Amino acid sequence: MASKPVTLTVKSRGKRIPKLPKETSIYIQGTGADLYSRLANEAKFSIHRLRITKEDGTLIPNNRDTTISSLDLKEGSVVQVKDLGVQIAWRTVFIIEYLGPLLIHPLFYYLRPYIYSGVTSEPSKLQTISCILITLHFVKREFETLFVHRFSNATMPAINIFKNSGHYWLLSGFLIAYFTYGPNSPTAAESIPALTYGAIALYAFGELANLNTHLILRSLRSPGGTERGVPKGFGFGWVTCPNYFFEFLAWTAILLVNRSWSTAVFAVVASAQMYVWAVKKEKRYRKELPGKYKKKRFAMFPGIM
């Protein structure tokens, strides 16, 4: 026999949502996703702007794996609904982030005579190679954003786009470009063939291995799904997040080519942030996939940490 629906008391948390109902009904076999959908429809509000919690602050996840019954919600239970503000799609965020350096480097490269005083010579071999490697890196990222990545979260607060873009537009964009294409940059010097071609080989390996990792991760999630699988394949036997390790290798290769302190700054900042993400990912795998996921000793750097 089907159970009767339970009536939940609904309260706003923070900014008021004008049409949010004071109560709603849902079957206990219903899911967190059903609750989000119901309240969004009743409030005539974007589902992506809602964050629903129990009265004690426990998050009610927007998925089909968590049932109302498992959350211990019953007749008269209180749920709180928060407006997260204007949202922007994660895919759009990534496109905007990567567009900065993708445009900035070719502009600095081709407009050198107008940016640096006294520049009359053609770009050096190392400056040309640096521009090609960096541009290809972000072309690849845009390709992955459009055709490879599957996002667990659909949106993020729109205001965060400025913080996220700053990392790429300023650090990997303006900072690296300004100190790479100038007449006094280390890249203006003669190249060391063994070092340069060795770096290009390392770059190619890092970028292709990184792409392969992303394709493996894509295969673990259905279109529009949020499920997590156990990643297996090249690199996953070494560290939790081989995609981050391979990206580190690609940027190390770029640093070996242009030998600029600005590239070193970006590489250190980016690697530190990726390591933090890798540690969090390891903890998430252990929590969400107990018994299935084989714990890793190293999150990002094989044999180190």
Side-chain angles (χ1 to χ4, degrees):
M1 179 182 295
S3 63
K4 295 181 179 179
V6 295
T7 300
L8 305 176
T9 300
V10 181
K11 294 183 179 180
S12 289
R13 182 183 177 190
K15 184 179 178 181
R16 178 175 172 270
I17 301 175
K19 296 183 180 181
L20 186 70
K22 293 183 178 179
E23 61 181 29
T24 191
S25 296
I26 191 168
Y27 287 98
I28 60 172
Q29 300 101 323
T31 65
D34 294 331
L35 181 60
Y36 274 83
S37 179
R38 176 175 289 275
L39 286 175
N41 289 333
E42 291 176 345
K44 303 296 188 291
F45 209 70
S46 170
I47 194 170
H48 299 301
R49 292 181 60 164
L50 299 182
R51 184 178 190 271
I52 306 176
T53 60
K54 296 169 60 175
E55 193 170 20
D56 63 3
T58 302
L59 175 67
I60 298 175
N62 183 8
N63 62 39
R64 299 200 173 279
D65 300 324
T66 306
T67 65
I68 301 302
S69 175
S70 68
L71 292 166
D72 198 29
L73 292 173
K74 58 193 70 173
E75 183 72 23
S77 291
V78 175
V79 294
Q80 298 177 322
V81 183
K82 182 177 182 179
D83 176 8
L84 297 175
V86 178
Q87 301 288 296
I88 184 171
W90 268 107
R91 197 178 305 277
T92 303
V93 172
F94 279 24
I95 290 173
I96 294 173
E97 287 177 353
Y98 304 148
L99 186 62
L102 184 56
L103 296 176
I104 291 168
H105 281 270
L107 284 175
F108 267 80
Y109 178 80
Y110 287 108
L111 299 180
R112 290 173 68 252
Y114 304 98
I115 297 173
Y116 307 98
S117 60
V119 172
T120 57
S121 61
E122 293 294 316
S124 71
K125 181 177 182 180
L126 290 180
Q127 287 171 334
T128 299
I129 293 173
S130 294
C131 185
I132 291 173
L133 296 185
I134 294 173
T135 301
L136 286 177
H137 173 77
F138 287 104
V139 166
K140 168 182 165 292
R141 282 204 164 190
E142 294 284 30
F143 170 81
E144 291 169 340
T145 298
L146 292 171
F147 303 108
V148 177
H149 292 325
R150 287 174 175 166
F151 300 92
S152 56
N153 295 317
T155 65
M156 73 170 214
I159 192 66
N160 289 352
I161 187 64
F162 299 103
K163 177 186 69 176
N164 287 37
S165 295
H167 173 74
Y168 291 100
W169 284 65
L170 298 179
L171 288 185
S172 62
F174 285 107
L175 183 67
I176 293 180
Y178 185 81
F179 291 101
T180 294
Y181 307 112
N184 299 317
S185 168
T187 50
E190 290 294 322
S191 68
I192 304 173
L195 178 63
T196 300
Y197 293 122
I200 292 174
L202 177 63
Y203 171 87
F205 170 77
E207 293 289 2
L208 291 174
N210 176 270
L211 174 60
N212 178 67
T213 305
H214 288 156
L215 292 172
I216 292 173
L217 294 172
R218 170 189 169 85
S219 70
L220 299 177
R221 179 173 292 158
S222 60
T226 59
E227 69 276 14
R228 295 188 188 277
V230 178
K232 298 178 182 179
F234 183 67
F236 285 101
W238 308 339
V239 293
T240 308
C241 297
N243 50 319
Y244 296 153
F245 173 61
F246 296 136
E247 174 131 350
F248 164 78
L249 293 183
W251 277 104
T252 298
I254 293 171
L255 177 59
L256 291 174
V257 169
N258 69 18
R259 292 166 278 170
S260 170
W261 66 268
S262 59
T263 302
V265 167
F266 174 75
V268 168
V269 171
S271 296
Q273 180 60 75
M274 288 188 292
Y275 176 71
V276 171
W277 290 337
V279 171
K280 290 182 179 179
K281 183 68 71 66
E282 173 67 20
K283 292 179 179 178
R284 192 177 304 128
Y285 280 145
R286 294 183 184 185
K287 180 180 179 181
E288 297 181 3
L289 302 169
K292 296 182 180 179
Y293 178 72
K294 184 178 180 180
K295 298 179 181 179
K296 303 289 194 315
R297 288 183 58 196
F298 308 112
M300 177 174 164
F301 299 100
I304 302 176
M305 58 183 181

